[in-house]
Amino acid sequence: MQIKINYGVGAGVFPTACAEQVKRASLCDLKVLWYICAKGGNTDVAELCEFAGVAEGEVISSLSYWRGAGVIDADVEPSSTEENKNTPQKEKKVSRADELPRYTSDELSGILETNQNLAKFIDECQKIMGKMFTYHEINILIGLVDYLDLDFDYIMMLLTYCIAHGKKTLHYAEKTAFSFYDAGITSADALTAEIKRREDMLLVEGKIRSLFGIGSRALTTKEKKEISAWVNDWGYSFEIIEKAYEVTADATGGASLHYANSVLERWNSEGLRSLEQIESQNKEYTEQKQQKKTKKSPKKTEGENSSFDTDEFFAAAVRRSLGDGEK
């Protein structure tokens, strides 16, 4: 199929590196990228907020997404409009449960009697949790609204998320709310994006467990950081991780997660963002290696035709860095 593009008097050029990331990007991410490309990179956070119709935090989150994917390079700075200059910034709360205000039972009754919207909100939360709340639990909900300034939709979405993960107490929801708040996730849209990111991460993690034969054991802190870097920081798809596994198995004869991390880290440092780029580089490397060996000896050595043959020096260096005797 041939599609004609009517550029008119101008055109925006998109980096090929964004192709792998588009399917995981949010609507805000796509709007931000489109505007950046349309403006040739000559824009700022305030313009992006106006164009995308979202808050500054969401634009900064989108910029971080594309920067982490290797699509853009940018030092993200908050906008400095007169409105922002003149508006007092709300002091960031510390993540301690005892910072929530505590109301007496009489105070809670008075609040709910005078604020019908809040009373309806509490009722909806009870339906989500499937139980009647104690005064202590109602205190937590009102505290999240009053102290953290979270809206009703945000809190109900948070409760649904906690229940879906088998956590059915308001105490856990409170801790999770503080954790999200301290990470800058304070709007319903930002929470939706974070939940999707976490769900996608769990899906990929399950595939990685199966690929590397990890099973059901808990991942170590180091393994979690490595997998997070592959998916969130470098933006690699499972297909690319699968290729790193093949390189690992060919080079070590095993399924080392740490060796695969070294392979992916090298690809990332070399700017290889897609499977096609990785295969092209490996093909070029293999051909060069074959030419060098042909000059030394016409006899071919075992494994030299492997499309994912790994440099012997690199393989030995990584094995030494692992320090665990993996072959």
Side-chain angles (χ1 to χ4, degrees), residues 45 55-65 67 76-79:
V45 172
E56 182 177 288
E58 293 177 67
V59 166
I60 292 177
S61 176
S62 293
L63 290 172
S64 297
Y65 174 78
R67 182 174 55 190
V76 181
E77 297 181 357
S79 59

Side-chain angles (χ1 to χ4, degrees), residues 18-71:
C18 74
E20 287 289 322
Q21 313 303 324
V22 166
K23 59 186 177 183
R24 298 195 304 114
S26 67
L27 178 59
C28 179
D29 295 336
L30 295 175
K31 286 182 177 181
V32 166
L33 179 63
W34 185 92
Y35 194 77
I36 290 172
C37 292
K39 300 285 287 187
N42 297 315
T43 185
D44 57 27
V45 172
E47 278 191 0
L48 290 169
C49 288
E50 183 178 356
F51 174 77
V54 298
E56 182 177 288
E58 293 177 67
V59 166
I60 292 177
S61 176
S62 293
L63 290 172
S64 297
Y65 174 78
W66 293 119
R67 182 174 55 190
V71 175

